[in-house]
Every structure is written in C-alpha cells, then in structure tokens.
Amino acid sequence: PAYRRLVTAEPLLRRAVPILIIAFLVTIGVGAIVQVLEHRRQTLADTRAEIETVAELIGERLDRQFAKLDAMSGAQIALDHAVPNNSARGKRVLLSDPLGMVVASWPGRDPAIGRRLLDTIGADQLLTTFGAQAGAMEIALPDGTSAFATVRTLAFPLGQIAVIQTRYSVLATWRTDTTLTVTLFATTGFVLL
C-alpha cells in the first residue's frame, strides 16, 4: 500500500521539486540582495565614523606639535608625522593656514597646495563653516567627484584640516565583496538548476 501511494504521488512530487528549487533560489537571491545592500549601508556609515576619528586624531596631534611653534614653515613635516598611516589609506588630508590657503597635504604633493581650501572642497559646503559640528558629510567636489569629507578648525597658527575620501575608494571593498556574493549565488543557482 505504501508503494502504491508513492506511485500515485510521484507525478505531483516530480512537479513539486523544480518549484521548490526555484523557491529556494529566490529565497537565496533575496537574502543576497539584502546582505549586499546592508553591507553597503554599513560601509558608508563606517566610513563617516572613521573619517571623523582620523580628523580628530590628526587635529589633536597637530595642535600639540604647533603649540610650541609660531610659524607654518614645518607644516608639511608636522602633517606627515600626524597622519596615522594605517587608518588614513585611501584618504586625502589637507592642512590650511588661518587665511584658508592649503599649505600641506597628505599623501605627498597635492595640486591643492597654494589654493584656497574652499576651492578644493567646494565653496558652498557647510563643512568649513561648521567644522566638527557638521561631522562627516557626503559632498560633491568641484570636479564633480562624490566624496566623504570632514573639516576641523585648529588652534593658531594653523587654520583648518580637511580629510577627504572619494566614494569610489570607499566602496572598492564593497564592490569586491558584492562580486564574490554574486558569484557564489550564480554558482549555487547553476548547480541546483
């Protein structure tokens, strides 16, 4: 009797298996999409927090170094020593004098040196006005590039420090992880199909 019931149910089971496999693939696909979007949101939030932390650290180090100085002559050397190399990769750091002219940059020589900080990050930005109170914001640089940036006002004889990271570099790791997730999903789907 059990065999007869199995023979009777076999056509139904044959039709149900592909439907169950497709339902499983849809569930995995929805899970992958949710995971990718949440990872992206978390990456952007972490970047904002990291940029603020790096700016605070560099600002504090520069304020301590320049408390003993009264000239901007050692600005580049001081900035090079103030930037924590392990947490500043992918970022651009600009240091201005009290008049708003960029006098030092990290890493290396930047075309912004000798120009106004406002011209580099955009004159319409609230960052230079509100500084630390504005936090880290997503801005459009004058060349149209989307970036995350924060500005800190420093003690005299320094002006302000800006920490900038492009959105493209922020999402580089996310893109790599997303590619891996899509590859795993596609492979799983191919094997099941």
Side-chain angles (χ1 to χ4, degrees):
Y3 179 73
R4 239 182 268 124
R5 273 181 275 163
L6 184 61
V7 168
T8 317
E10 183 184 2
L12 179 65
L13 290 174
R14 283 186 179 190
R15 289 188 189 106
V17 168
I19 293 170
L20 292 174
I21 288 174
I22 289 170
F24 178 70
L25 288 175
V26 167
T27 303
I28 289 178
V30 169
I33 290 169
V34 168
Q35 178 184 3
V36 164
L37 293 176
E38 176 58 23
H39 187 223
R40 182 177 184 275
R41 187 199 63 75
Q42 189 63 45
T43 299
L44 296 176
D46 289 348
T47 297
R48 284 187 178 98
E50 184 181 340
I51 285 176
E52 286 189 41
T53 303
V54 168
E56 286 293 328
L57 178 63
I58 294 170
E60 189 177 302
R61 288 178 176 179
L62 284 171
D63 279 341
R64 264 189 283 131
Q65 289 177 15
F66 272 87
K68 306 172 211 120
L69 303 174
D70 57 354
M72 294 296 291
S73 57
Q76 185 63 54
I77 294 169
L79 182 60
D80 289 342
H81 290 297
V83 174
N85 290 331
N86 57 345
S87 63
R89 70 179 184 281
K91 295 171 185 58
R92 182 176 166 206
V93 182
L94 303 174
L95 174 63
S96 74
D97 64 11
L99 300 174
M101 299 299 285
V102 177
V103 294
S105 67
W106 186 92
R109 195 94 178 118
D110 195 290
I113 292 179
R115 293 175 46 207
R116 291 179 12 173
L117 184 60
L118 281 175
D119 295 337
T120 305
I121 63 171
D124 59 339
Q125 301 302 333
L126 299 173
L127 290 172
T128 54
T129 305
F130 293 108
Q133 294 172 343
M137 299 173 62
E138 186 168 3
I139 64 170
L141 297 174
D143 65 357
T145 305
S146 182
F148 293 92
T150 190
V151 174
R152 296 292 183 270
T153 302
L154 305 173
F156 188 81
L158 302 172
Q160 292 181 315
I161 187 166
V163 179
I164 305 163
Q165 186 170 11
T166 63
R167 184 182 186 92
Y168 183 82
S169 70
V170 166
L171 294 176
T173 304
W174 173 80
R175 281 190 295 276
T176 304
D177 292 345
T178 299
T179 302
L180 177 63
T181 301
V182 169
T183 303
L184 289 174
F185 172 71
T187 304
T188 303
F190 178 73
V191 167
L192 285 175
L193 289 176

